């Protein structure tokens, strides 16, 4: 079993930066991938970034490439999402979630680019508001 707790959200001006943190408790061997997702009011949930725990491959939504970085700190059991050049449309609740290994498509690709429900454990989210 894996427990996830997000933090680092808040109010930031357009063009600003935030680093979100996801504290992971439980066995690090219990999940194959971990990613960040977001959901704005009245909109569908979308994938932001995802990383494989097996080979450290990273995946980013097209809208996030160049201004978002996902990284892990194994010593602190924490996954980070560094976001720069934030825009008002980035306003959303941001969640981290994990997935187990499964046949076929990598879970990062399955959830982010095909919309499959493959993530098994979710945090409660942290709110990011981008406004002047």
């Amino acid at each position: 079993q894996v427990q996830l707790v997000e933090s680092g959200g808040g109010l930031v001006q357009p063009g600003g930066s935030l680093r979100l943190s996801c504290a992971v408790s439980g066995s690090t061997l219990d999940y194959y991938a971990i990613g960040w997702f977001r959901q704005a009011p009245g909109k569908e949930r979308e994938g932001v970034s995802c990383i494989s725990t097996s080979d450290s491959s990273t995946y980013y939504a097209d809208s996030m490439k160049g201004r978002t970085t996902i990284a892990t700190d194994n010593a602190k059991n924490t996954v980070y999402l560094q976001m720069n050049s934030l825009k008002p449309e980035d306003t959303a609740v941001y969640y981290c979630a994990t997935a187990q290994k499964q046949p076929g498509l990598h879970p990062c690709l399955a959830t982010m680019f095909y919309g499959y429900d493959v993530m098994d454990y979710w945090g409660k989210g942290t709110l990011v508001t981008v406004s002047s």
Side-chain angles (χ1 to χ4, degrees):
Q1 186 173 345
V2 177
Q3 185 175 0
L4 309 168
V5 180
E6 303 95 337
S7 63
L11 176 64
V12 63
Q13 294 185 343
S17 299
L18 281 177
R19 188 181 72 166
L20 306 182
S21 299
C22 177
V24 182
S25 61
S27 176
T28 57
L29 301 177
D30 286 344
Y31 58 97
Y32 183 70
I34 187 166
W36 286 93
F37 305 81
R38 69 184 184 185
Q39 187 168 23
K43 296 184 178 180
E44 298 288 334
R45 187 186 67 205
E46 61 179 338
V48 177
S49 184
C50 192
I51 185 169
S52 172
T53 60
S54 62
D55 62 5
S56 298
S57 296
T58 57
Y59 306 83
Y60 297 94
D62 288 340
S63 63
M64 296 284 101
K65 290 181 179 179
R67 61 190 187 99
T68 303
T69 303
I70 188 169
T72 60
D73 186 335
N74 293 331
K76 296 182 179 180
N77 294 319
T78 301
V79 180
Y80 302 99
L81 183 70
Q82 177 69 46
M83 299 190 293
N84 305 313
S85 302
L86 287 166
K87 308 172 182 179
E89 52 263 42
D90 293 320
T91 296
V93 177
Y94 285 71
Y95 303 88
C96 61
T98 61
Q100 297 181 11
K101 184 176 176 62
Q102 61 180 34
L105 200 62
H106 192 284
C108 287
L109 296 176
T111 186
M112 290 186 60
F113 305 113
Y114 292 88
Y116 295 151
D117 294 326
V118 297
M119 313 306 287
D120 45 18
Y121 293 99
W122 291 81
K124 294 184 178 180
T126 184
L127 177 63
V128 172
T129 302
V130 185
S131 177
S132 59

